């Protein structure tokens, strides 16, 4: 249960209504997720975040699946339940199956582990030669 | 400065030497990074971690660049300096330029932000209709 | 469901009862929250934590609302459900409405984002001139 | 040392130059911090982030000092060195002394501690009566 | 509810069945926990993780209780509900009572607090004389 | 470089001097670490923290080495450089060698990894039978 009241689509007016409509059209969905409904309590913040979303997720050169995989990896690292549900659904809509989701988690696993050890032993950066991979 | 003494390649023997050699051959590099030299103080752990690395990073179906991008995203989220240096170098060797590295960070930025807000407002998961994207 | 049995007010004796009574009187409430009931399994720890709470939250020069806002920002960053519920309730009792709670989250959002990018790109501190703001 | 090359003010053109100029004017400073110079490798992301900054930090109803205190509390919780330096400088410019900075940290301390315990014992939310504080 | 379908013991075959059997025999339990059933969607990852578990938790020189205490402390710091439940159960099976669990949390509390303050004030490492304790 | 001026032992007076003296006597050392010198800018907070330290680290039933191991595991998970240096030194003074430090990190590694996966796949708690270990 959210700690604030979410704005429903029915009660949205003005800038909030415009952004809700743009969201549904741009994402090609017929509802506005709870996250965006929550931000609507501060309409200018909703607008700046939606503009940033379009720039970051729909602009640039990396493909959409790669970006949703990053979103899932970050959300798993932070343990954000809402976000994990949302981005797992997204990578599945984009074609990944359960085995691929677990493969993403295997990578998330390895580097959360090695991050804690590299920090925990204060390992100094390698003086990197030009390496071929 | 690491908090423990790292095992050098020159002094490695037995299982540790075998893994150091396998590392350099498998990764096609001519030195062993400090991270792996640190793990060598507990040789069975070095071995289990190296075996897991090969399974996770060299096996499966996702491509190597996607996995290094996940590694960089996780390392940025955790703020691990050694790891950020290592995986930024890796994605650059695999062809990404500075603009692409910043684009990865833009995605890391967006979802660390939205994770904290989704948690901070205790936003409940959406009851997801079947969505097209 | 807590992983340990919480001490109820009815069964509290000695030092624990004294602290429960002081808590209710000092905070002007008629019940002891679950957090404090959990600490009571180690009474000296309960006492040291309660004394620290009074020093940190009721002493010093910053006002109470600012301190509850910090508590909420930290709890959102860590994703602690119990704590988010508790400190959202606190800032609302002190006068903030839903829009202000979302405005706090907007700031939490911006800096969790920029923290991950500043770390993820290993950005060096600015050599700061004396700046006016 | 940043992992990417930062864009200098001298080489900025077009959208990047416009934002660098707006930054210096809006913040009343005579240089562009490294964080913003780093984002410039992806100009649309720089622009979206700067617009969000202005909305979040210069809009809304909470005062600027409270927002910089939140920024510092979040940065301390995440351990982001660049950010801690930047926001400590900001709260000092806005009038806080060393004792007040440590008082902020005392609150950050208390709630990072209680967050880990509330999570670590899986403490259930209180059924909150209407409480006066 | 897991975001992927867990593999049941009844449907396990080949490598997965071998590992499930080894798990139950090695840990002396009559069921396979959900965590291991989830990993089974990527069988080589399940195998590498189980081999690492045996090396890390059943090998080395530190005793099992100390290792489960570390696991609980890490899980509390990360706020992982599944893990907290699992490792609290483990330390209780190994003989700890509620007071000892809270004592572990008291230590977790103190150092999550001091970590955030040491980072938040950018405290430099002490030049350590040889200290007796 | 700390973001605030640390109080030196020479300039300490009153409550701060008493605590500095008690620290050196209780810990049997001849200097006051930077962490405690930093807290001295808010003397009542220094006092409450020192009292809590004595309760948590010198009281209770768990032995000192176990507590320093927890401190190191938490500090590695959070990536706190000052704290990692301090607690690695502490476990070494209490008798652990490099191999044991790496063994602690191997456990920290395993559970930071499994925490991220258990969260990232939203794995539900096992309905736990009474298990023997």
């Amino acid at each position: 249960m959210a700690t604030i009241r979410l704005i429903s689509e029915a009660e949205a007016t003005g800038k909030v209504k415009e952004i809700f409509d743009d969201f549904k059209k741009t994402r090609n969905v017929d509802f506005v997720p709870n996250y965006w409904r929550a931000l609507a309590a501060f309409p200018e913040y909703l607008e700046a975040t939606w503009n940033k979303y379009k720039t970051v997720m729909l602009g640039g050169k990396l493909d959409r699946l790669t970006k949703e995989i990053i979103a899932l990896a970050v959300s798993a690292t932070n343990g954000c339940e809402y976000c994990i549900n949302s981005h797992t659904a997204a990578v599945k809509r984009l074609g990944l199956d359960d085995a691929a989701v677990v493969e993403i988690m295997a990578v998330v696993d390895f580097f959360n582990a090695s991050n804690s050890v590299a920090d925990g032993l204060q390992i100094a950066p390698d003086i990197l030669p030009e390496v071929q991979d």
Side-chain angles (χ1 to χ4, degrees), chain A residues 71-93:
Chain A
L72 179 54
V74 168
S75 301
T77 300
N78 286 329
C80 176
E81 181 182 359
Y82 179 85
C83 315
I84 290 163
N85 284 337
S86 172
H87 299 296
T88 304
V91 298
K92 288 189 172 179
R93 283 197 305 272

